[in-house]
Amino acid sequence: MSVIRVEGLSFKYAGADDYSLRDISFRVKKGEFVGILGASGSGKSTLCLTFNGIIPHSITGDFEGNVYVKGYNTKDKSVAELSTLVGLVLQNPDSQLFNMTVEEEIAFGLENLGLDVEEIKRRIKWALKLAGLEGFENEFPPNLSGGQKQRLAIASVLAMKPEVLVLDEPTSQLDPLGREQVLSLVTLLNKEQGITTIMVEHNTDYLLNFADRVIIMHKGEIILEGKPRQVFGEVEFLENLGIKIPTSVKIGYRLKREGHINTASLNEREVIEELKRILGKEL
Ligand SMILES: Nc1ncnc2c1ncn2[C@@H]1O[C@H](COP(=O)(O)OP(=O)(O)OP(=O)(O)O)[C@@H](O)[C@H]1O
Ligand SMILES: [Mg+2]
């Protein structure tokens, strides 16, 4: 079953000259992990804002086509209703945290759902445990590290038990440790909790290993889509768009060019094996 279905979606911000999204169609299956890549201004964030209805409800403009979440047309649901279906995490964790304690931050969205106190407590505990923030309940969110803040932002949307988690460059403002923590959490949520995940992320090494599908956007359109191996194998095409090639594919591409192997799109394990084989022959 498709959890997300986008059909002929085009969007032009009010007052803008040009469309930011152009005739986009794709589906996301339950449990799938879809990575989105593209140059700055290609429409990645705009697309993310259509999944939870911020576009067209809060940010208006010319909206054509349809976005369905779990069969519901986002046009027919309020942003509040959609927030229980789609959890959105943004680039800057500071812009998403505004409560006095970690616990209150997570409780905030839940109280608005009208859940009973016991259920709220259960969900807070569950979300904190998954995000690795147990013991931080009474901390003041601005005192947390970047990685902890972003994990708290993820925990807050997770507690709403959404069908889909949408993350728009969640690691781009973090230090290497924070990045690692957030990527590990996203992997755990998708692979172990089965949460459907859509993530804008420039770390193509990560997407090669963990995404089921990758979508490449360019000037508001999807110009390439497929399994990570297939997409990242298009080395020259992606380099022309300024997209970073995964390290193992870069090495594979070079080995292929030098006639050692037939396919460039390798993962880390395969690259190591090929290098051992090639070096072994030469030694
Ligand atoms: N609020 C807005 N009003 C008018 N135009 C906008 C608005 N937000 C974005 N745009 C335009 O829409 C296009 C797509 O922008 P968007 O932010 O979706 O790109 P992006 O792929 O997320 O880029 P980045 O990698 O820099 O985050 C750009 O041309 C941008 O200038
Ligand atoms: Mg963006």
Side-chain angles (χ1 to χ4, degrees):
M1 190 198 112
S2 299
V3 179
I4 299 264
R5 188 151 52 92
V6 179
E7 287 179 353
L9 171 67
S10 295
F11 182 71
K12 183 155 80 77
Y13 286 94
D17 294 332
D18 240 340
Y19 275 82
S20 295
L21 298 176
R22 296 163 194 270
D23 196 18
I24 287 192
S25 298
F26 70 99
R27 291 171 182 221
V28 181
K29 284 194 290 237
K30 193 168 173 56
E32 207 178 3
F33 185 159
V34 175
I36 301 181
L37 283 159
S40 181
S42 58
K44 305 178 298 294
S45 296
T46 306
L47 181 61
C48 288
L49 294 173
T50 68
F51 299 131
N52 69 350
I54 289 186
I55 292 178
H57 296 300
S58 310
I59 299 179
T60 56
D62 296 343
F63 186 100
E64 288 151 36
N66 294 292
V67 176
Y68 298 93
V69 182
K70 219 184 157 190
Y72 299 109
N73 193 324
T74 56
K75 286 176 193 164
D76 303 331
K77 292 255 167 204
S78 67
V79 173
E81 286 171 318
L82 287 165
S83 70
T84 63
L85 295 174
V86 179
L88 179 63
V89 176
L90 304 171
Q91 201 167 17
N92 180 357
D94 292 312
S95 71
Q96 305 169 78
L97 306 175
F98 42 85
N99 285 280
M100 294 306 284
T101 69
V102 165
E103 192 170 73
E104 284 170 21
E105 193 63 59
I106 301 180
F108 182 78
L110 298 177
E111 282 158 2
N112 290 337
L113 293 183
L115 298 169
D116 67 59
V117 178
E118 285 310 308
E119 176 64 9
I120 290 180
K121 278 191 191 156
R122 263 198 301 274
R123 289 199 189 190
I124 291 175
K125 208 165 169 227
W126 173 77
L128 283 175
K129 184 157 194 272
L130 274 176
L133 290 171
E134 278 171 311
F136 288 85
E137 288 78 357
N138 299 315
E139 293 285 329
F140 181 45
N143 289 345
L144 300 177
S145 70
Q148 288 168 335
K149 282 182 197 168
Q150 198 57 298
R151 284 185 286 142
L152 173 57
I154 294 173
S156 306
V157 300
L158 207 59
M160 311 280 277
K161 302 240 167 169
E163 288 288 322
V164 189
L165 186 60
V166 179
L167 306 113
D168 186 5
E169 299 197 44
T171 66
S172 63
Q173 299 194 356
L174 305 180
D175 60 18
L177 177 65
R179 268 184 207 160
E180 176 70 40
Q181 291 171 343
V182 168
L183 292 180
S184 303
L185 174 58
V186 173
T187 310
L188 174 114
L189 296 177
N190 176 255
K191 307 295 177 220
E192 289 177 24
Q193 298 288 319
I195 297 176
T196 310
T197 305
I198 301 176
M199 185 184 198
V200 179
E201 172 61 52
H202 293 296
N203 184 339
T204 52
D205 287 290
Y206 174 74
L207 293 180
L208 176 67
N209 285 324
F210 296 106
D212 297 309
R213 198 144 49 95
V214 175
I215 286 176
I216 310 287
M217 293 188 67
H218 181 62
K219 296 187 174 162
E221 289 181 70
I222 293 179
I223 48 164
L224 184 61
E225 182 188 350
K227 290 193 186 307
R229 271 181 183 262
Q230 191 188 334
V231 168
F232 292 132
E234 303 290 336
V235 174
E236 287 146 49
F237 181 80
L238 297 179
E239 275 182 339
N240 281 335
L241 295 173
I243 291 170
K244 197 178 144 271
I245 308 299
T247 315
S248 60
V249 177
K250 227 191 243 175
I251 300 171
Y253 182 68
R254 176 124 185 237
L255 293 177
K256 184 179 171 216
R257 230 179 33 203
E258 290 174 4
H260 294 294
I261 55 174
N262 295 323
T263 169
S265 198
L266 305 179
N267 63 27
E268 280 164 40
R269 186 181 48 77
E270 291 161 346
V271 131
I272 291 168
E273 266 161 29
E274 291 295 347
L275 283 172
K276 273 192 196 156
R277 188 180 60 77
I278 295 161
L279 290 170
K281 244 195 295 186
E282 287 176 3
L283 287 173

